[in-house]
Amino acid sequence: MTTYSILGLCGSLRAKSFNLAALQAAGEVMPAGMTLSIATFDDMPIYNQDIQDKGWPPSVERIRAQIAATDAVLIANPEYNWSVGAPLKNVIDWLSRLKDQPFQNKPVAMISATGGPVGGVRGQLDLRRILTCLGGQVLVKPEVFIGSSAGKFADGKLTDEVTRKFLTDQMVALGQLVDRTKRANG
C-alpha cells in the first residue's frame, strides 16, 4: 500500500479557527494511506531582508524541512480583504526566498472557510497564482470553499455532511495528484 504524508498549513493563527477545523476534518476523511500533520508557524517573524541577511530563522528552516519531507501540502486559507491573510502570506514570502524552492513540483491543495457566503474563492485565486509562481503543482478540482462556516462547525468539528463530501472528494483527488506528480518526476 502506498502511503503519502500531507503537511497542513493553516493561514489563521486563531486557536478556534474554522480553517484549522477544516484542515483537521480533511485529515479525518483522507483515503487509507494518507496522513496529515499540521505545521505551526506562529513564531515566524515578519519577513525582513535584514533578518534574512543575518541567517534563516529556525522557524523558516523548520517549515522548509517539513515541506521538503512531505508528499503534498494542504493549505487552509482564510480570506482577508479578498486575498491571502498576512500569516500565510508571510510564510510564503519567507519560503520564496530560499534557493531550494520547497514548493517546486510539490502537489498543493487548498481549502478555505469564511464567515461570508462565497467561502474564500477570491483568496484562493490569489493563493493559486502565488503557488504557481513558485512551481507548486496546484490541484485544480475539486475546489473546496466553505462559506457561512459558523453554521457548518460545532465545538471545532465539521458537522455539515455536504462539506465533508467535498473534502473527501478533494482528498481523493489530492492523492491522485501526488501519484501523477511522483510518476512524472520519476
Side-chain angles (χ1 to χ4, degrees):
M1 171 188 250
T2 303
T3 58
Y4 294 135
S5 62
I6 311 301
L7 182 67
L9 299 177
C10 182
S12 173
L13 302 180
R14 190 169 65 91
K16 294 185 178 183
S17 162
F18 292 124
N19 282 277
L20 180 58
L23 265 181
Q24 293 165 337
E28 294 168 7
V29 300
M30 286 181 172
M34 288 175 69
T35 59
L36 176 71
S37 61
I38 299 175
T40 60
F41 48 83
D42 55 347
D43 58 338
M44 191 173 289
I46 298 295
Y47 179 77
N48 180 326
Q49 180 74 45
D50 293 337
I51 295 172
Q52 179 186 332
D53 289 345
K54 293 175 186 172
W56 297 101
S59 54
V60 174
E61 290 288 352
R62 183 184 70 241
I63 296 291
R64 183 209 56 76
Q66 288 174 309
I67 292 172
T70 196
D71 295 302
V73 178
L74 174 60
I75 299 175
N77 176 43
E79 183 177 281
Y80 294 106
N81 301 314
W82 296 7
S83 192
V84 179
L88 180 59
K89 182 67 166 68
N90 185 55
V91 170
I92 294 170
D93 286 347
W94 271 108
L95 295 174
S96 72
R97 302 315 193 265
L98 295 165
K99 288 181 183 175
D100 184 21
Q101 180 46 244
F103 287 111
Q104 183 67 40
N105 294 321
K106 185 71 64 172
V108 182
M110 297 176 281
I111 59 178
S112 54
T114 64
V118 183
V121 67
R122 294 166 295 214
Q124 281 195 31
L125 288 172
D126 283 351
L127 183 57
R128 182 180 309 275
R129 190 177 68 231
I130 293 165
L131 293 169
T132 300
C133 166
L134 298 176
Q137 300 301 307
V138 180
L139 180 67
V140 177
K141 288 185 179 189
E143 299 171 305
V144 176
F145 308 109
I146 307 170
S148 304
S149 57
K152 295 178 180 162
F153 294 88
D155 298 321
K157 298 287 184 186
L158 178 64
T159 57
D160 185 74
E161 289 306 314
V162 172
T163 301
R164 185 172 299 281
K165 173 72 168 104
F166 286 133
L167 280 173
T168 301
D169 292 348
Q170 188 187 51
M171 294 305 98
V172 169
L174 179 58
Q176 293 167 345
L177 176 60
V178 173
D179 283 338
R180 287 191 308 273
T181 302
K182 285 185 171 293
R183 282 195 309 271
N185 294 327

